[in-house]
Amino acid sequence: MAVPTYASPLERIWHYAYIAICAAIFFFLIAPIVVIIPLSFNAEPYFTFTDKMLSFDPEGYSMRWYDSLLTFGMTAPDGPRDLSWWGDAWANAKWVQAAKNSIIIGIFSTILATVLGTLAALGLSRPEMPFRRAIMAILISPMIVPLIITATGMFFFYSNPCELLTLFGLDPQCGRLAGTYLGVIFAHVTLGIPFVIITVTATLVGFDQSLNRAAASLGASPRRTFFKVTMPLILPGVISGALFAFVTSFDEVVAVLFIAGPDQQTIPRQMWNGIREQISPAILAVATLLVVFSIALLTTVELLRRRSERIRGVTPH
């Protein structure tokens, strides 16, 4: 933004000082993330910049750590890279297995969290809903309560869910959820629902309820009104909430450490194991890929936000 011509010298000084402060804050926030990107191309097994990297010597840079994401855990990593080699990587590489688990768990938990969170937001947006504030506080509590407490509670509940249900006079036939894919998915659904509720509720703030009444007066059923009137208008908020729920599931490690078994190794848990068992710059390569992935998702969320503002007649700045 240019300084107005009528600005006084003091206002001009404050303008440039404000820009410098914002730039310093931005650098403080982004520097720890940006520094891992060149380190992931380090040819040496170090977490520091070597002399060759600082002098921009091509020999100081390598893709070896990205390649190790495919070869670590393979039965024959040095073989010719034919179809059998790729099959071995798909079936045995630990990072590939972790990526598959993260994607599968993230997709299913996102679907459940989006459906349940959207329904909850629709109910909480109705003025006749009793105890709306109390219910909202309970539903978003997983993102307020320390995660270690939530994960501990989920561990004890998922270890023997029937024990708690029996206290309410029920005699269900259920088994242990801890150490299963279903248990991890339910845990991530619990953590993802608050993000969906918040984003959908924010979208519903500008929603004109008279549109639903107009559709009902024209003979549309509640189901048809929802899918033809309400859903298209709140869809950007729903998708934004789904993306946040997916990112929450994809990056979550604490609940996975408590609930997941040996077969449910996700990318964050594999990174945790790598830090504890063997320090390798391959972790930096994974972190770089996650940064790129997160930037793509945030860009999508911003585009959806602008589309939502255009639909509601608000001009984005």
Side-chain angles (χ1 to χ4, degrees):
M1 180 185 298
V3 182
T5 55
Y6 54 82
S8 64
L10 185 60
E11 290 175 337
R12 291 177 180 272
I13 294 175
W14 168 245
H15 174 79
Y16 293 113
Y18 177 77
I19 294 177
I21 293 172
C22 292
I25 295 174
F26 178 78
F27 176 79
F28 176 77
L29 294 175
I30 206 69
I33 300 175
V34 174
V35 73
I36 67 172
I37 297 178
L39 283 176
S40 66
F41 296 97
N42 193 350
E44 302 296 333
Y46 307 132
F47 282 78
T48 57
F49 290 95
T50 62
D51 294 336
K52 291 183 178 180
M53 293 185 68
L54 295 175
S55 61
F56 297 101
D57 187 346
E59 294 183 358
Y61 296 86
S62 173
M63 296 289 293
R64 58 180 294 192
W65 307 117
Y66 290 89
D67 185 72
S68 67
L69 301 182
L70 294 175
T71 58
F72 181 64
M74 289 179 57
T75 57
D78 298 327
R81 301 202 172 187
D82 50 13
L83 290 178
S84 62
W85 187 92
W86 287 103
D88 184 12
W90 179 259
N92 299 314
K94 293 186 178 299
W95 287 107
V96 175
Q97 294 296 317
K100 289 192 293 184
N101 287 333
S102 291
I103 293 173
I104 292 172
I105 293 171
I107 289 175
F108 283 102
S109 63
T110 298
I111 293 173
L112 288 175
T114 303
V115 173
L116 297 177
T118 301
L119 293 176
L122 290 171
L124 293 171
S125 66
R126 301 182 67 87
E128 65 272 16
M129 180 72 182
F131 309 109
R132 286 193 299 169
R133 294 183 180 276
I135 296 174
M136 172 68 82
I138 293 174
L139 291 177
I140 67 174
S141 61
M143 65 184 304
I144 300 174
V145 177
L147 188 53
I148 187 69
I149 298 176
T150 304
T152 304
M154 288 189 294
F155 170 74
F156 285 108
F157 176 66
Y158 290 162
S159 295
N160 191 1
C162 293
E163 182 177 351
L164 182 61
L165 297 177
T166 305
L167 297 177
F168 296 94
L170 302 175
D171 187 19
Q173 299 295 323
C174 53
R176 177 186 174 94
L177 289 176
T180 64
Y181 280 99
L182 190 60
V184 179
I185 290 173
F186 283 167
H188 286 186
V189 169
T190 303
L191 300 175
I193 284 178
F195 294 94
V196 179
I197 292 176
I198 290 175
T199 54
V200 177
T201 301
T203 305
L204 289 169
V205 170
F207 182 76
D208 189 359
Q209 296 292 341
S210 63
L211 297 175
N212 289 337
R213 293 191 292 268
S217 67
L218 295 174
S221 63
R223 178 182 176 183
R224 186 176 181 85
T225 299
F226 174 76
F227 286 105
K228 295 295 184 179
V229 178
T230 306
M231 192 62 183
L233 293 176
I234 68 172
L235 187 59
V238 174
I239 297 177
S240 298
L243 291 176
F244 280 116
F246 182 80
V247 170
T248 301
S249 173
F250 206 82
D251 294 340
E252 212 292 312
V253 65
V254 178
V256 174
L257 290 174
F258 274 83
I259 298 171
D263 295 332
Q264 292 87 49
Q265 293 279 357
T266 60
I267 289 180
R269 185 175 179 179
Q270 184 64 35
M271 295 177 70
W272 171 264
N273 293 338
I275 293 174
R276 294 182 58 198
E277 298 171 3
Q278 63 169 27
I279 302 298
S280 170
I283 299 174
L284 301 178
V286 176
T288 301
L289 295 176
L290 291 179
V291 168
V292 174
F293 178 71
S294 300
I295 292 175
L297 287 182
L298 291 175
T299 303
T300 304
V301 171
E302 176 62 18
L303 294 176
L304 290 172
R305 184 188 68 82
R306 291 176 177 268
R307 180 180 181 273
S308 178
E309 290 179 343
R310 288 197 298 268
I311 291 176
R312 291 184 294 169
V314 180
T315 302
H317 298 284

